[in-house]
Amino acid sequence: MAAESNADGVERRLPTDEAHELLALTRDIARREIAPRAAEEEAAGHFPRELFALLSRSGLLGLPYDPEYGGGGQPYEVYLQVLEELAAARLTVGLGVSVHTLSCHALARFGTEQQRGAQLPAMLGGGLLGAYCLSEPAAGSDAAALRTRAVREGEGGDWVIDGTKAWITHGGIADFYTVMARTGGPGAKGITAFLVPGDAPGLSAAPPERKMGMTGSPTAQVHLDGVRVSDARRLGAEGQGFALALDALDSGRLGIAACAVGLGQAALDEAVAYARERRQFGRPIADFQGLRFLLADMATRIEAGRALYLEAARLRDEGRSFGRCAAMAKLFCTDAAMRVTTDAVQVLGGYGYTADFPVERYLREAKMLQIVEGTNQIQRVVIARHLVGPESR
């Protein structure tokens, strides 16, 4: 396993020459195509669909999936480091790739061979963009309480789906939606997963939410009003949907952790560059011990988060249980991003509080990462259950 350092001094241990090439390609795209447009497009609330088309053509939208179906065949250890680089350039892009990967998970892992062959190539390398639909207006942390319902029209007939999904990244612009709907009784065992085309009659989206950050990434309610899908678009067995959703979220949390580390790294890089240039009392502020200690703490949090998400990724790649470590990584990395971006604003002082420098945007974006794909309070519940078992009832 060879090691390399990028221009910002991030040392990466990568398993193959191909992985080195992928990271180099990612950095090149990030430097030339993503980072220069990030501030302007985020301020305008512009979603860069053309960048996702570029990533798809470059083979970066299906990295952890089987090459037989158009994927990159890369271990999660490599995929997540690519994701980190994308998020460091612009979180809207990094998070978008993570959500797309999450939306492909159920089909790639639990779909039939026929389903995978028919759908996955376009999803992984055909320029399509996915969305993942679990949460609802009244079912967030308690996702098993979802009310969206799918009813089958007779034996062998189509499914008709009615309901509303909430907080959907790419809501209204996705080409396909992985939708969890109730097909049976209450609770987790009554939920089934479906792959719904983005242009299905009866599927619509509300106007995007007005968010404090991530303004370039649309988040919207998705309405399903009599949406018909064939049984060939049911993923897994009836009643297996919630288990599929949780399985996907274990991996998705690692994507969020990697994005958080990328965002924190971007904030640290900006703070270090500013500290070297800004002069007070006749010398660079980077000479002052108090500020040097602050930067050292920021760097330590980022490195610790990177090590934690990579440890979880390696457990996953080895086929070992990684759910507890994934929850820890999501919890630690997103809390670290919040702290690091806050400290970066402090390093820049008044300038850090203005939109002329990117750290104020990083701070607003970091808050979102503590909430998505299970709030950090939920991650603590997951970790505690691994430690001491479920709560007494």
Short mmCIF file of all heavy atoms in Angstrom, two decimals, residues 268 291-301:
data_model
loop_
_atom_site.label_atom_id
_atom_site.label_comp_id
_atom_site.label_asym_id
_atom_site.label_seq_id
_atom_site.Cartn_x
_atom_site.Cartn_y
_atom_site.Cartn_z
N LEU A 268 -9.61 24.36 7.17
CA LEU A 268 -8.26 24.44 7.73
C LEU A 268 -7.29 25.05 6.73
O LEU A 268 -6.48 25.92 7.08
CB LEU A 268 -7.78 23.06 8.14
CG LEU A 268 -6.32 22.97 8.61
CD1 LEU A 268 -6.10 23.79 9.87
CD2 LEU A 268 -5.90 21.52 8.82
N LEU A 291 -2.75 31.25 18.27
CA LEU A 291 -3.33 30.88 16.99
C LEU A 291 -2.72 29.58 16.47
O LEU A 291 -3.42 28.74 15.89
CB LEU A 291 -3.13 32.00 15.98
CG LEU A 291 -3.95 31.82 14.68
CD1 LEU A 291 -4.58 33.13 14.26
CD2 LEU A 291 -3.07 31.28 13.56
N ARG A 292 -1.45 29.36 16.69
CA ARG A 292 -0.81 28.11 16.26
C ARG A 292 -1.45 26.92 16.97
O ARG A 292 -1.67 25.86 16.36
CB ARG A 292 0.70 28.16 16.54
CG ARG A 292 1.44 29.20 15.73
CD ARG A 292 2.87 29.39 16.20
NE ARG A 292 3.74 28.35 15.70
CZ ARG A 292 4.45 28.44 14.57
NH1 ARG A 292 4.37 29.52 13.82
NH2 ARG A 292 5.25 27.46 14.21
N PHE A 293 -1.75 27.08 18.25
CA PHE A 293 -2.41 25.99 18.98
C PHE A 293 -3.80 25.72 18.41
O PHE A 293 -4.23 24.56 18.31
CB PHE A 293 -2.51 26.34 20.46
CG PHE A 293 -1.22 26.19 21.23
CD1 PHE A 293 -0.05 25.79 20.60
CD2 PHE A 293 -1.18 26.46 22.58
CE1 PHE A 293 1.14 25.64 21.31
CE2 PHE A 293 0.00 26.32 23.31
CZ PHE A 293 1.16 25.91 22.67
N LEU A 294 -4.51 26.79 18.05
CA LEU A 294 -5.84 26.63 17.47
C LEU A 294 -5.77 25.84 16.16
O LEU A 294 -6.55 24.91 15.94
CB LEU A 294 -6.47 28.00 17.24
CG LEU A 294 -7.92 28.04 16.73
CD1 LEU A 294 -8.86 27.40 17.73
CD2 LEU A 294 -8.34 29.47 16.44
N LEU A 295 -4.83 26.20 15.31
CA LEU A 295 -4.66 25.48 14.04
C LEU A 295 -4.26 24.02 14.28
O LEU A 295 -4.72 23.12 13.57
CB LEU A 295 -3.61 26.18 13.17
CG LEU A 295 -3.96 27.58 12.67
CD1 LEU A 295 -2.76 28.20 11.97
CD2 LEU A 295 -5.17 27.56 11.74
N ALA A 296 -3.41 23.80 15.28
CA ALA A 296 -2.99 22.43 15.59
C ALA A 296 -4.18 21.59 16.03
O ALA A 296 -4.31 20.41 15.64
CB ALA A 296 -1.92 22.45 16.68
N ASP A 297 -5.07 22.15 16.84
CA ASP A 297 -6.27 21.42 17.27
C ASP A 297 -7.19 21.13 16.09
O ASP A 297 -7.77 20.04 16.00
CB ASP A 297 -7.02 22.23 18.33
CG ASP A 297 -6.33 22.24 19.68
OD1 ASP A 297 -5.43 21.39 19.90
OD2 ASP A 297 -6.68 23.09 20.52
N MET A 298 -7.32 22.09 15.19
CA MET A 298 -8.15 21.88 14.00
C MET A 298 -7.60 20.72 13.17
O MET A 298 -8.36 19.82 12.75
CB MET A 298 -8.20 23.16 13.17
CG MET A 298 -8.92 24.32 13.84
SD MET A 298 -8.56 25.93 13.06
CE MET A 298 -9.35 25.74 11.47
N ALA A 299 -6.30 20.73 12.93
CA ALA A 299 -5.68 19.68 12.13
C ALA A 299 -5.83 18.31 12.78
O ALA A 299 -6.06 17.30 12.11
CB ALA A 299 -4.21 20.00 11.90
N THR A 300 -5.70 18.28 14.11
CA THR A 300 -5.82 17.01 14.82
C THR A 300 -7.22 16.42 14.70
O THR A 300 -7.39 15.21 14.50
CB THR A 300 -5.44 17.21 16.30
OG1 THR A 300 -4.10 17.69 16.39
CG2 THR A 300 -5.57 15.91 17.08
N ARG A 301 -8.24 17.26 14.82
CA ARG A 301 -9.61 16.78 14.66
C ARG A 301 -9.85 16.20 13.26
O ARG A 301 -10.51 15.18 13.10
CB ARG A 301 -10.60 17.91 14.95
CG ARG A 301 -10.68 18.30 16.41
CD ARG A 301 -11.79 19.31 16.68
NE ARG A 301 -11.88 19.56 18.11
CZ ARG A 301 -11.23 20.54 18.74
NH1 ARG A 301 -10.45 21.36 18.05
NH2 ARG A 301 -11.35 20.70 20.05
#
